[in-house]
Amino acid sequence: MTATRTSQTPPLEPIASDELGGSFRGELLLPTSPGYDTARRVWNGAIDRHPACIARCTGLADVVAAVRFARERDLEIAVRGGGHNVAGTAVCDDGVVIDLSAMRAEWVDPAGRTAWVQGGALWGDVDHETQAHGLATTGGIVGHTGVAGLTLGGGLGFLMRKHGLTIDNLLAAEVVTAEGSIVRASADEHPDLFWALRGGGGNFGVVTSFRFALHPVGPTVMAGPVFWAADDTADVLRLYRDFAAEAPDELGSVIRLGTVPPLAVIPADLHWRPAIAVACCYAGSVEDGERAVAALRRFGTPLVDLLAPAPYAAFQGGLDATVLHGWHYYWKATNLAGLSDDAIAVIADHAYAASSPRSYAAMFHMGGAVARVPHDSTAYAGRDVAHNIIIDAVWLPDESGEHAAAETAWARRFLQALQPHRAGGVYVNFLDSDDDSSRVREAYGDRIYRRLAEVKARYDPDNVFHHNKNIQPSSYRRPA
Ligand SMILES: Cc1cc2nc3c(=O)[nH]c(=O)nc-3n(C[C@H](O)[C@H](O)[C@H](O)COP(=O)(O)OP(=O)(O)OC[C@H]3O[C@@H](n4cnc5c(N)ncnc54)[C@H](O)[C@@H]3O)c2cc1C
């Protein structure tokens, strides 16, 4: 039976309050509850779903209660960590959202250089707590992104070339399975589950906490972006191709092609000008970092050079205001075979053709420690890729309609033009809602997908957790 929503009589109201009431200490938000409309919103304002019930958990026991409750009633389940997935998989229509947004605590063991992080934490939370000890692990490049979804898909960030993907730093996870049981996954406990959690997304259970390895980082690092005018894009990308190929592992970099964001640290006369930026973060001494970025800063005539010694945690939050909650987003992404002159020409031709000044493309430089981890030791498939690109169409809530159609068409055209330059694969966390199951397979490749499907059949044979980039259990097909 699947619950259906009516605005007058929320079907779960009496049931959820009674049955969850005893075993659930968190907040239960029903369509009539104050706060429901805020709680059902995710980062992408284009997502507008109405769950029958949002179970805002306070801890592991609440997650167990919520999973069991939803299963007993055969309700759809969506799991929410940071709520950032562009496809809006953290929220469903009609069913139960298992919402971990109140579970954001961290416990750092500075001597052992590890941290336990709850499943609803954001990267800004983790950087804040770990940097108090001069430590960090690879996290996303925007502070308000969720730890859980990012980690379970792989985890790209400025530290990855030195310290590996986020999953390469994952030591253990506490998981509530589809049965409502509690298991610990690590190299020694449920190693098959541990393998699958490192790249396979939210398919295998609800992760209530993660244990990460930490590394000394900063607290002051050489970091920041350098901007050049959009007309210089091809030249900057050719320089960057060689710069990146020779970069030490300590140097993480991300290219951003779009306009200069209107941030207070940037002179106002540059705001919204079409521009390419190379953002760097050097995971080593400031002096070594200065040397590592020197060639980049000397190149051409930058519009503005913000590379400077900076607190790592502050740098990590520097982009937060450029991708606000509630704006509307649509993404297209692919791994790139390399930055050939032809690929650069395509990027330069398309990157500035969006109509919204908020739309942009970002390109992550991979390699380093990411590529050295044995490829079958985790479920992440893109380890031998040099770059991957995400095309991010953005428009404001009151610009829906024609404007939205133009931005999404731009993103699709851009991806299409990159077709000859694509490497196999795509990062699963960059897939949007119109990326179908064939793109999920593309993200993993056949061999990893098959192995994930076998683990799925062991831990979630009924595909209870399917509101995600879904791995179908090997022996099961959910009715359409
Ligand atoms: C502004 C922005 C910046 C980004 N930057 C980066 C980046 O630098 N590097 C990078 O790798 N990715 C980045 N991403 C992509 C990011 O990895 C995904 O959007 C990811 O899904 C975000 O995780 P979340 O917890 O916020 O997601 P949610 O939307 O909360 O969840 C997404 C899915 O993850 C699963 N999930 C969430 N929480 C849990 C849990 N506790 N247990 C089990 N499953 C769970 C569920 O299947 C859920 O549907 C960025 C995204 C945005 C919007």
Side-chain angles (χ1 to χ4, degrees):
M1 181 197 88
T2 302
T4 48
R5 180 181 62 89
T6 68
S7 54
Q8 299 305 312
T9 50
L12 278 185
E13 185 143 28
I15 305 166
S17 304
D18 288 356
E19 292 190 10
L20 264 170
S23 54
F24 189 81
R25 289 197 173 179
E27 203 180 352
L28 214 52
L29 292 146
L30 301 155
T32 49
S33 308
Y36 169 86
D37 259 327
T38 307
R40 71 182 181 83
R41 291 289 175 184
V42 288
W43 170 78
N44 185 354
I47 307 294
D48 183 21
R49 301 202 181 110
H50 293 79
C53 165
I54 299 168
R56 184 163 286 162
C57 305
T58 56
L60 172 85
D62 281 355
V63 174
V64 170
V67 169
R68 289 187 179 155
F69 169 80
R71 285 222 63 186
E72 276 155 20
R73 311 217 149 254
D74 198 17
L75 290 165
E76 188 86 356
I77 293 178
V79 181
R80 180 185 182 122
H84 258 45
N85 193 276
V86 69
T89 51
V91 63
C92 55
D93 274 325
D94 302 327
V96 177
V97 173
I98 300 181
D99 178 355
L100 276 69
S101 63
M103 294 170 55
R104 287 172 59 177
E106 291 82 34
W107 296 268
V108 178
D109 170 8
R113 290 188 180 163
T114 61
W116 275 106
V117 175
Q118 278 193 306
L122 308 181
W123 280 107
D125 304 330
V126 176
D127 290 336
H128 183 65
E129 291 301 321
T130 56
Q131 278 288 279
H133 303 280
L135 299 169
T137 199
T138 304
I141 66 169
V142 170
H144 48 70
T145 309
V147 169
L150 181 141
T151 301
L152 295 169
L156 320 183
F158 282 107
L159 302 183
M160 68 183 159
R161 290 171 41 77
K162 174 71 177 163
H163 297 301
L165 298 168
T166 310
I167 48 169
D168 301 331
N169 293 288
L170 184 64
L171 302 172
E174 189 176 64
V175 185
V176 175
T177 67
E179 294 291 300
S181 329
I182 302 160
V183 299
R184 176 77 63 91
S186 68
D188 305 320
E189 300 156 282
H190 300 278
D192 54 344
L193 177 61
F194 187 53
W195 174 85
L197 290 175
R198 289 174 295 158
N203 277 284
F204 305 95
V206 186
V207 180
T208 51
S209 52
F210 298 86
R211 183 165 175 249
F212 292 112
L214 305 176
H215 312 275
V217 172
T220 301
V221 289
M222 187 67 186
V226 184
F227 287 86
W228 292 264
D231 287 347
D232 296 339
T233 295
D235 291 339
V236 172
L237 286 178
R238 277 194 290 270
L239 175 276
Y240 178 76
R241 173 177 59 202
D242 303 335
F243 172 80
E246 287 159 19
D249 288 355
E250 283 78 7
L251 190 66
S253 64
V254 177
I255 297 262
R256 186 182 189 280
L257 306 111
T259 61
V260 178
L263 300 173
V265 289
I266 301 178
D269 60 327
L270 295 178
H271 292 176
W272 302 118
R273 265 179 73 168
I276 175 170
V278 181
C280 298
C281 177
Y282 190 86
S285 76
V286 168
E287 296 72 30
D288 289 349
E290 268 168 358
R291 276 190 289 279
V293 297
L296 187 73
R297 309 176 84 179
R298 275 197 306 268
F299 184 73
T301 314
L303 291 175
V304 59
D305 176 354
L306 299 171
L307 256 165
Y312 172 75
F315 166 70
Q316 280 285 90
L319 286 174
D320 290 9
T322 66
V323 278
L324 291 181
H325 288 83
W327 290 356
H328 290 201
Y329 299 91
Y330 174 81
W331 287 4
K332 281 283 153 266
T334 184
N335 292 335
L336 290 176
L339 285 179
S340 66
D341 286 351
D342 288 348
I344 287 174
V346 169
I347 294 169
D349 270 358
H350 285 77
Y352 309 101
S355 22
S356 166
R358 291 176 182 79
S359 292
Y360 65 94
M363 209 162 58
F364 286 73
H365 180 214
M366 309 295 292
V370 176
R372 287 194 294 272
V373 171
H375 289 203
D376 58 359
S377 66
T378 70
Y380 182 84
R383 291 195 183 270
D384 45 9
V385 168
H387 301 275
N388 76 29
I389 188 165
I390 171 169
I391 303 160
D392 191 346
V394 189
W395 60 97
L396 298 177
D398 60 2
E399 294 174 335
S400 294
E402 265 178 39
H403 203 99
E407 292 310 289
T408 52
W410 164 73
R412 289 186 188 132
R413 262 197 321 275
F414 194 167
L415 182 71
Q416 185 60 34
L418 284 170
Q419 194 68 28
H421 310 290
R422 289 170 64 178
V426 58
Y427 179 32
V428 73
N429 275 357
F430 290 165
L431 293 177
D432 209 331
S433 31
D434 65 347
D435 289 314
D436 60 10
S437 57
S438 70
R439 287 219 81 195
V440 179
R441 280 179 179 267
E442 182 193 338
Y444 295 109
D446 285 343
R447 202 171 46 84
I448 290 181
Y449 188 92
R450 271 201 303 276
R451 191 169 160 191
L452 283 169
E454 281 161 22
V455 181
K456 178 82 169 171
R458 249 168 268 148
Y459 289 90
D460 182 14
D462 297 327
N463 206 2
V464 168
F465 299 112
H466 63 264
H467 214 267
N468 47 32
K469 294 301 165 198
N470 195 228
I471 308 287
Q472 296 260 317
S474 54
S475 54
Y476 169 85
R477 291 283 170 274
R478 192 177 180 88

